[in-house]
Amino acid sequence: MEQASLAQQGALAGTAGAGTILGSDIQAYQNPYTQQVIDASTADIMRGAQMGLNALDTQASRAGAFGGSRHGVAMSELGRGVTEQIGQQSAALRQQGFMNAQQMAQQDIQNRMSQAAQLGALGQQSFGYGQAIQQGLSQQGAQQQAIQQALIDAAKAQYQGYTGQPAATLGYVSSALGATPTPQSQTTSRQPGLFDYLTLAATAYGK
Amino acid sequence: MSGGKGGSKSTVSEIPSWIEQPATRNLARAEQAQQLGYQPYYGIDVAGFNPTQVQAMQNQIGAAQAFGMAPQGMQAMQGMPQTQTIGGVTGYTSSPLYEQAVAAAQAADPNTAQIYGSLFGQDTGYTPKV
């Protein structure tokens, strides 16, 4: 249960601490070689520009206009185009780098939250295991207690038999008498009265 | 029936002695048994929690403590009366409560208690037939 509690606490902490894009250090997710990429791209553009300049110079020389105003304008246009291209390329590369870093930071946040959720699930599972084991222990103990209670009840019944025995045995004689035919004898006696004597005398006299 | 002009007549039923004597002894025995007061049970009434149950309960307390829902040091059996173990069986007896109830009733109404006590405990001299 301790582990389950710790897992839940870790899950809560992980969820709360997963962070936000705003709070993330985007710089940490930036490509450290971005500048090298920009520099390499700029170098390519400059090489192209140089080749263009060389061609322009050759063309101007052949036309006998090397160093002229048109040569100068052409060179200026070429330079403006190169500068614009370098700027656009650099901005695009940096924009791509930032978007990539932002996406990685978001992914990192989601990973942390996913881990926290997983930890919470594990904690819940662990808690469930603990509860199931608890249930088994309780049932096992209840069975043992039931047997002990049955023993106690049997002992109490025995004791009740012991204390009730004197009263119970009183009924034995009554039961035996009730099952035995009981002969009864009757004696009838008569006490003569005055009329009895007068009747006797009258009868004797009449004879 | 008294005497008088018409005379009188009486009828007597006689019980054989082999019935009368046991009945008389039974009555004497009943009077002796009547003197037996209430004999309370001083053994165990309710089975107590066994070690398995105590462990399960302690585990439950541990789970509550892990989530901050029970104070540290809480024990499973705290607040429960002391158990007795007789013949390997552990449990609780109600005899202390019974004795306390009887003592309280006697203290509250000594007159009734005295009358109650006078009903029992007198030896009637009953001698069983050997």
Side-chain angles (χ1 to χ4, degrees), chain A residues 14-40:
Chain A
T15 304
T20 60
I21 293 292
L22 185 64
S24 298
D25 179 15
I26 298 293
Q27 190 62 35
Y29 296 94
Q30 292 277 12
N31 186 351
Y33 306 106
T34 299
Q35 190 57 49
Q36 285 89 332
V37 171
I38 293 173
D39 291 344

Short mmCIF file of all heavy atoms in Angstrom, two decimals, chain A residues 14-40:
data_model
loop_
_atom_site.label_atom_id
_atom_site.label_comp_id
_atom_site.label_asym_id
_atom_site.label_seq_id
_atom_site.Cartn_x
_atom_site.Cartn_y
_atom_site.Cartn_z
N GLY A 14 3.90 14.44 -11.11
CA GLY A 14 4.28 14.44 -12.51
C GLY A 14 3.30 15.20 -13.38
O GLY A 14 3.68 15.92 -14.30
N THR A 15 2.02 15.02 -13.07
CA THR A 15 1.00 15.71 -13.86
C THR A 15 1.08 17.22 -13.64
O THR A 15 1.00 18.01 -14.58
CB THR A 15 -0.40 15.21 -13.47
OG1 THR A 15 -0.45 13.80 -13.65
CG2 THR A 15 -1.46 15.86 -14.34
N ALA A 16 1.23 17.59 -12.36
CA ALA A 16 1.29 19.02 -12.05
C ALA A 16 2.57 19.66 -12.58
O ALA A 16 2.59 20.83 -12.96
CB ALA A 16 1.18 19.23 -10.54
N GLY A 17 3.64 18.87 -12.59
CA GLY A 17 4.93 19.42 -13.00
C GLY A 17 5.30 19.19 -14.44
O GLY A 17 6.45 19.40 -14.83
N ALA A 18 4.33 18.68 -15.22
CA ALA A 18 4.63 18.40 -16.63
C ALA A 18 5.04 19.68 -17.36
O ALA A 18 5.85 19.65 -18.28
CB ALA A 18 3.42 17.77 -17.30
N GLY A 19 4.48 20.77 -16.90
CA GLY A 19 4.93 22.04 -17.46
C GLY A 19 4.09 22.52 -18.63
O GLY A 19 3.13 21.87 -19.04
N THR A 20 4.46 23.68 -19.13
CA THR A 20 3.78 24.28 -20.27
C THR A 20 4.84 24.72 -21.28
O THR A 20 6.05 24.80 -20.95
CB THR A 20 2.96 25.51 -19.84
OG1 THR A 20 3.87 26.47 -19.25
CG2 THR A 20 1.90 25.13 -18.82
N ILE A 21 4.38 25.03 -22.48
CA ILE A 21 5.28 25.54 -23.51
C ILE A 21 5.90 26.85 -23.04
O ILE A 21 7.10 27.10 -23.21
CB ILE A 21 4.54 25.74 -24.84
CG1 ILE A 21 4.10 24.39 -25.41
CG2 ILE A 21 5.43 26.46 -25.85
CD1 ILE A 21 5.22 23.50 -25.87
N LEU A 22 5.04 27.66 -22.39
CA LEU A 22 5.50 28.97 -21.94
C LEU A 22 6.64 28.84 -20.94
O LEU A 22 7.58 29.62 -20.93
CB LEU A 22 4.33 29.74 -21.31
CG LEU A 22 4.60 31.19 -20.88
CD1 LEU A 22 4.95 32.03 -22.10
CD2 LEU A 22 3.39 31.77 -20.18
N GLY A 23 6.50 27.82 -20.10
CA GLY A 23 7.50 27.64 -19.06
C GLY A 23 8.69 26.81 -19.49
O GLY A 23 9.63 26.61 -18.72
N SER A 24 8.66 26.30 -20.68
CA SER A 24 9.74 25.43 -21.15
C SER A 24 10.91 26.25 -21.66
O SER A 24 10.74 27.36 -22.18
CB SER A 24 9.23 24.51 -22.26
OG SER A 24 8.20 23.67 -21.78
N ASP A 25 12.08 25.70 -21.52
CA ASP A 25 13.29 26.34 -22.05
C ASP A 25 13.44 25.89 -23.50
O ASP A 25 14.03 24.84 -23.79
CB ASP A 25 14.50 25.93 -21.22
CG ASP A 25 15.80 26.55 -21.72
OD1 ASP A 25 15.71 27.50 -22.54
OD2 ASP A 25 16.89 26.08 -21.33
N ILE A 26 12.85 26.68 -24.43
CA ILE A 26 12.84 26.30 -25.85
C ILE A 26 14.29 26.18 -26.37
O ILE A 26 14.58 25.32 -27.21
CB ILE A 26 12.06 27.34 -26.68
CG1 ILE A 26 10.60 27.37 -26.22
CG2 ILE A 26 12.14 27.02 -28.17
CD1 ILE A 26 9.81 26.11 -26.50
N GLN A 27 15.16 26.98 -25.81
CA GLN A 27 16.56 26.99 -26.26
C GLN A 27 17.18 25.61 -26.13
O GLN A 27 18.03 25.21 -26.94
CB GLN A 27 17.35 28.02 -25.42
CG GLN A 27 18.74 28.32 -25.94
CD GLN A 27 18.73 28.93 -27.33
OE1 GLN A 27 17.81 29.71 -27.66
NE2 GLN A 27 19.69 28.59 -28.15
N ALA A 28 16.74 24.88 -25.09
CA ALA A 28 17.30 23.56 -24.86
C ALA A 28 16.96 22.60 -25.98
O ALA A 28 17.65 21.59 -26.16
CB ALA A 28 16.80 23.02 -23.53
N TYR A 29 15.87 22.92 -26.70
CA TYR A 29 15.44 22.01 -27.75
C TYR A 29 15.95 22.47 -29.14
O TYR A 29 15.72 21.78 -30.13
CB TYR A 29 13.91 21.94 -27.79
CG TYR A 29 13.30 21.34 -26.54
CD1 TYR A 29 12.88 22.17 -25.50
CD2 TYR A 29 13.18 19.97 -26.39
CE1 TYR A 29 12.34 21.63 -24.36
CE2 TYR A 29 12.64 19.42 -25.24
CZ TYR A 29 12.23 20.26 -24.22
OH TYR A 29 11.69 19.74 -23.09
N GLN A 30 16.62 23.62 -29.18
CA GLN A 30 17.13 24.15 -30.45
C GLN A 30 18.30 23.31 -30.93
O GLN A 30 19.07 22.75 -30.14
CB GLN A 30 17.60 25.61 -30.25
CG GLN A 30 16.49 26.60 -29.98
CD GLN A 30 15.83 27.08 -31.24
OE1 GLN A 30 16.04 26.53 -32.32
NE2 GLN A 30 15.01 28.11 -31.13
N ASN A 31 18.43 23.24 -32.25
CA ASN A 31 19.57 22.54 -32.87
C ASN A 31 20.84 23.37 -32.60
O ASN A 31 20.91 24.52 -33.03
CB ASN A 31 19.32 22.38 -34.38
CG ASN A 31 20.38 21.55 -35.05
OD1 ASN A 31 21.42 21.21 -34.46
ND2 ASN A 31 20.15 21.24 -36.31
N PRO A 32 21.82 22.82 -31.93
CA PRO A 32 23.03 23.60 -31.64
C PRO A 32 23.85 23.93 -32.90
O PRO A 32 24.74 24.77 -32.85
CB PRO A 32 23.80 22.69 -30.68
CG PRO A 32 23.31 21.33 -30.96
CD PRO A 32 21.89 21.47 -31.38
N TYR A 33 23.52 23.26 -33.96
CA TYR A 33 24.27 23.48 -35.21
C TYR A 33 23.49 24.35 -36.19
O TYR A 33 23.82 24.41 -37.37
CB TYR A 33 24.60 22.14 -35.86
CG TYR A 33 25.33 21.20 -34.93
CD1 TYR A 33 24.68 20.10 -34.38
CD2 TYR A 33 26.65 21.44 -34.59
CE1 TYR A 33 25.34 19.25 -33.52
CE2 TYR A 33 27.31 20.60 -33.71
CZ TYR A 33 26.65 19.49 -33.18
OH TYR A 33 27.31 18.67 -32.32
N THR A 34 22.46 25.04 -35.68
CA THR A 34 21.65 25.90 -36.57
C THR A 34 22.53 26.96 -37.25
O THR A 34 22.40 27.20 -38.47
CB THR A 34 20.55 26.60 -35.76
OG1 THR A 34 19.70 25.60 -35.19
CG2 THR A 34 19.71 27.50 -36.66
N GLN A 35 23.38 27.60 -36.45
CA GLN A 35 24.22 28.65 -37.01
C GLN A 35 25.16 28.12 -38.09
O GLN A 35 25.37 28.75 -39.14
CB GLN A 35 25.05 29.32 -35.89
CG GLN A 35 25.76 30.59 -36.33
CD GLN A 35 24.80 31.62 -36.88
OE1 GLN A 35 23.77 31.92 -36.26
NE2 GLN A 35 25.10 32.16 -38.07
N GLN A 36 25.66 26.91 -37.86
CA GLN A 36 26.54 26.31 -38.88
C GLN A 36 25.76 26.06 -40.16
O GLN A 36 26.29 26.23 -41.26
CB GLN A 36 27.13 24.99 -38.35
CG GLN A 36 28.24 25.15 -37.33
CD GLN A 36 27.70 25.21 -35.91
OE1 GLN A 36 26.57 25.64 -35.71
NE2 GLN A 36 28.50 24.79 -34.95
N VAL A 37 24.52 25.63 -39.99
CA VAL A 37 23.69 25.37 -41.18
C VAL A 37 23.45 26.69 -41.94
O VAL A 37 23.55 26.75 -43.17
CB VAL A 37 22.34 24.74 -40.76
CG1 VAL A 37 21.37 24.69 -41.94
CG2 VAL A 37 22.56 23.35 -40.19
N ILE A 38 23.16 27.73 -41.15
CA ILE A 38 22.92 29.04 -41.78
C ILE A 38 24.19 29.53 -42.47
O ILE A 38 24.15 30.05 -43.61
CB ILE A 38 22.44 30.06 -40.71
CG1 ILE A 38 21.04 29.67 -40.21
CG2 ILE A 38 22.42 31.48 -41.30
CD1 ILE A 38 20.54 30.49 -39.07
N ASP A 39 25.30 29.34 -41.76
CA ASP A 39 26.58 29.78 -42.34
C ASP A 39 26.89 29.02 -43.62
O ASP A 39 27.36 29.61 -44.62
CB ASP A 39 27.73 29.57 -41.33
CG ASP A 39 27.61 30.51 -40.15
OD1 ASP A 39 26.85 31.50 -40.26
OD2 ASP A 39 28.26 30.26 -39.11
N ALA A 40 26.62 27.73 -43.61
CA ALA A 40 26.90 26.93 -44.81
C ALA A 40 25.99 27.36 -45.94
O ALA A 40 26.43 27.47 -47.11
CB ALA A 40 26.70 25.45 -44.48
#
